[in-house]
Amino acid sequence: MQNLSPLAKNDLPEPLPLKKLIGPSFILLGLGLGSGELILWPYLSSNYGMGIIWGALLGITFQFFLNMEIARYTLVTGESIFVGLARKLGTLAPVWFILSTLIPWMWPGIIASCATLVAEALGIEYSKYIGIIFLLLIGAILSLGSVVYKTQEKLQKAIILIGVPFVFILAFYFAKSNHWGDMIAGLIGKGNGFWFLPIGVPIATFLGAFAYAGAGGNLNLAQSLYVKEKGYGMGKYSGRITNILLGKKEDIKLEGTTFEPNQENLNRFKIWWKRINLEHMIVFWATGAVTMIILSLLAYSTVFGREGLSTGISFVVQEGIVISQKTFPFLGTLFLGLAALMLFGTQFSVLGSTSRIMAENLCVLSKDKFKIQNLPKFFYSFLWLQIIAGIIIFMLGFMEPLGLVVTGAVLNAITMFIYSGLILWLNLTSLDKQLRPNFIRIFAVGFAFLFYGSFGIYTIYSRFFT
């Protein structure tokens, strides 16, 4: 784009110790915790068995490699992946990212699921007004935090550190030896009478679960923004979004700063790259994969084979009932409450991340008209636009949680097909040869591109042409 300035030059900062790098992966993990981890994969496992769980492991592995290529560009250039793609594609890129973020993520399926579980835990009737109240609460929390990134990071860390151990304990209590055996077999695609996909499994739901094996959709691209706001690499020279009322204003830059590929900077880059890969592998990939598998195992060992699991998120409610019956009544209620809290945290981070993505792309679209200094105002405008859209969807009567989640997930899988190819192309053509991805990473992202594309095309074909 002609209105984007060339990259400035500076030295690559000294690598931070690993403990100071932990943070962005918690947000991405939290973004998937309430959709793929808690809803879609356990839903599939409770209905079709553990033979399908290979998809969760493969899906989050794809996302690990995608996220690291997203981080690579920002680590080297100090600007978001959105600015980098706009340099290549012009105004088409920001327009696409605004629309492909708003349309799939405005469906309030996650918060509808949260409201359903809260109503069940409290013994009251599910109402759209519960979901609306939660949306307004999220808007209030995000609007009052001094630094948006820190608010998201702190909330997600707290939810994950409380909720995940509790689920692990329940799974280890309920799962029998045959359940563990089915889980291990499922990791290589062997189910009860099938390999990889059972007969009758909804392809749209599987594709949605695959896309949500992690953050999903354009939310993965938020890794680029959090690399900037955490101060990874050249992101140190960028600013952060602060609260327009309470936060101390920081100097925010749209275009980035890169470094000369001399030996000293290359040595620093190798250390940065090693450490952020390790941080993402431990927090996002390993924790996310184990959590998805254990949550699916819990659903499988408690409610598999029961009637009435094929609609909505009734399987989660049934899990709570079984837990109450076989342990103590308050544990079933506690399970539903913690599941609701995880869903709330996911919707919280979804709204924060999508608003950040759209605000950035609005500035990229017209640097002169939408000045980067006004990024916090644009962020809060998109935040409340999405909240209002969610309220309207509730008021129009779209209340069934699983249907809303699957609708958004299929749309997000298609966006992942598009941007996975674009990211690989950007890094292979924009970065110095010594900083580009190696063959293994090219293969992994290329395979993800083909997988998302093939399943996306098949899903569209089966929905509209058969």
Side-chain angles (χ1 to χ4, degrees):
M1 290 180 68
Q2 293 181 350
N3 66 335
L4 292 174
S5 303
L7 292 168
K9 290 288 182 73
N10 209 328
D11 287 330
L12 181 64
E14 287 284 351
L16 296 173
L18 181 62
K19 64 180 180 180
K20 290 188 177 181
L21 296 177
I22 295 175
S25 297
F26 269 105
I27 296 179
L28 284 187
L29 177 61
L31 286 168
L33 193 61
S35 47
E37 281 89 334
L38 190 60
I39 298 178
L40 293 178
W41 285 111
Y43 167 80
L44 289 171
S45 299
S46 65
N47 281 278
Y48 300 99
M50 291 299 291
I52 205 168
I53 201 63
W54 63 271
L57 185 61
L58 183 61
I60 199 167
T61 302
F62 279 169
Q63 289 199 29
F64 169 80
F65 285 104
L66 276 172
N67 293 346
M68 292 316 302
E69 290 311 305
I70 293 165
R72 181 193 300 272
Y73 181 81
T74 304
L75 183 71
V76 174
T77 66
E79 67 184 20
S80 72
I81 201 84
F82 305 110
V83 178
L85 288 172
R87 291 183 186 278
K88 293 281 190 178
L89 301 173
T91 57
L92 176 64
V95 170
W96 164 254
F97 285 120
I98 290 172
L99 294 177
S100 64
T101 301
L102 178 63
I103 294 173
W105 286 108
M106 69 180 183
W107 302 93
I110 297 170
I111 206 66
S113 302
C114 172
T116 301
L117 297 185
V118 168
E120 185 68 28
L122 296 176
I124 61 177
E125 186 178 355
Y126 168 58
S127 167
K128 59 189 174 186
Y129 296 108
I130 301 175
I132 290 172
I133 290 171
F134 285 159
L135 284 176
L136 293 172
L137 179 59
I138 290 171
I141 295 172
L142 281 169
S143 298
L144 294 175
S146 60
V147 176
V148 173
Y149 169 80
K150 286 186 176 181
T151 304
Q152 287 184 261
E153 182 184 313
K154 288 178 180 178
L155 182 69
Q156 287 299 353
K157 280 183 178 179
I159 292 173
I160 291 168
L161 292 175
I162 294 170
V164 172
F166 178 72
V167 171
F168 274 43
I169 293 170
L170 288 176
F172 278 95
Y173 178 82
F174 281 98
K176 308 302 180 186
S177 58
N178 61 306
H179 299 141
W180 288 101
D182 291 342
M183 181 199 77
I184 293 170
L187 291 173
I188 60 171
K190 186 179 186 305
N192 185 13
F194 69 90
W195 278 92
F196 298 110
L197 290 177
I199 296 174
V201 63
I203 295 299
T205 304
F206 176 79
L207 176 63
F210 196 88
Y212 279 3
N218 284 355
L219 293 180
N220 292 83
L221 299 171
Q223 174 78 348
S224 176
L225 304 175
Y226 299 137
V227 164
K228 286 178 60 179
E229 303 216 358
K230 189 71 174 179
Y232 284 9
M234 302 307 288
K236 178 181 178 180
Y237 302 106
S238 302
R240 302 173 298 176
I241 289 185
T242 56
N243 185 279
I244 56 178
L245 298 176
L246 305 175
K248 180 182 177 182
K249 189 173 182 180
E250 295 192 12
D251 183 26
I252 304 173
K253 296 179 181 178
L254 184 64
E255 296 95 343
T257 304
T258 191
F259 57 85
E260 292 290 347
N262 56 44
Q263 196 58 51
E264 183 179 1
N265 283 329
L266 289 174
N267 289 339
R268 289 179 181 177
F269 173 79
K270 289 178 182 177
I271 299 173
W272 272 110
W273 186 241
K274 180 180 179 180
R275 289 178 183 173
I276 66 172
N277 270 271
L278 183 58
E279 186 267 353
H280 203 59
M281 179 169 284
I282 294 171
V283 177
F284 176 79
W285 183 83
T287 306
V290 172
T291 302
M292 273 191 293
I293 293 167
I294 292 298
L295 279 166
S296 298
L297 178 64
L298 178 62
Y300 178 66
S301 61
T302 53
V303 300
F304 178 70
R306 291 195 168 206
E307 295 183 358
L309 303 180
S310 60
T311 59
I313 60 167
S314 57
F315 73 95
V316 182
V317 176
Q318 289 296 318
E319 282 183 84
I321 293 172
V322 171
I323 291 168
S324 294
Q325 291 172 344
K326 295 188 176 182
T327 57
F328 303 98
F330 79 91
L331 281 180
T333 302
L334 181 59
F335 169 76
L336 293 177
L338 283 174
L341 181 62
M342 291 180 185
L343 290 165
F344 181 86
T346 297
Q347 186 69 74
F348 177 91
S349 284
V350 164
L351 285 171
S353 298
T354 53
S355 300
R356 181 69 174 85
I357 289 170
M358 290 186 283
E360 177 100 359
N361 278 283
L362 186 65
C363 295
V364 175
L365 181 62
S366 180
K367 176 184 169 183
D368 298 325
K369 186 175 181 181
F370 303 107
K371 297 183 183 299
I372 191 65
Q373 290 77 14
N374 293 325
L375 188 64
K377 294 180 181 178
F378 302 144
F379 169 85
Y380 287 107
S381 296
F382 278 117
L383 171 65
W384 285 100
L385 172 64
Q386 290 186 92
I387 290 172
I388 292 170
I391 291 172
I392 292 172
I393 290 171
F394 273 128
M395 296 304 293
L396 290 175
F398 295 95
M399 295 171 55
E400 205 288 302
L402 184 65
L404 291 171
V405 170
V406 172
T407 298
V410 171
L411 292 171
N412 278 308
I414 295 169
T415 66
M416 293 175 77
F417 159 62
I418 293 171
Y419 75 61
S420 57
L422 290 176
I423 290 165
L424 193 57
W425 170 64
L426 178 67
N427 284 348
L428 289 173
T429 58
S430 298
L431 303 182
D432 187 87
K433 188 175 181 180
Q434 297 160 290
L435 303 170
R436 294 174 187 172
N438 59 26
F439 173 77
I440 294 175
R441 293 176 185 267
I442 292 172
F443 175 81
V445 176
F447 191 53
F449 170 75
L450 294 175
F451 196 97
Y452 290 128
S454 300
F455 261 95
I457 292 169
Y458 180 81
T459 300
I460 293 172
Y461 176 80
S462 61
R463 276 248 175 144
F464 299 103
F465 300 101
T466 59

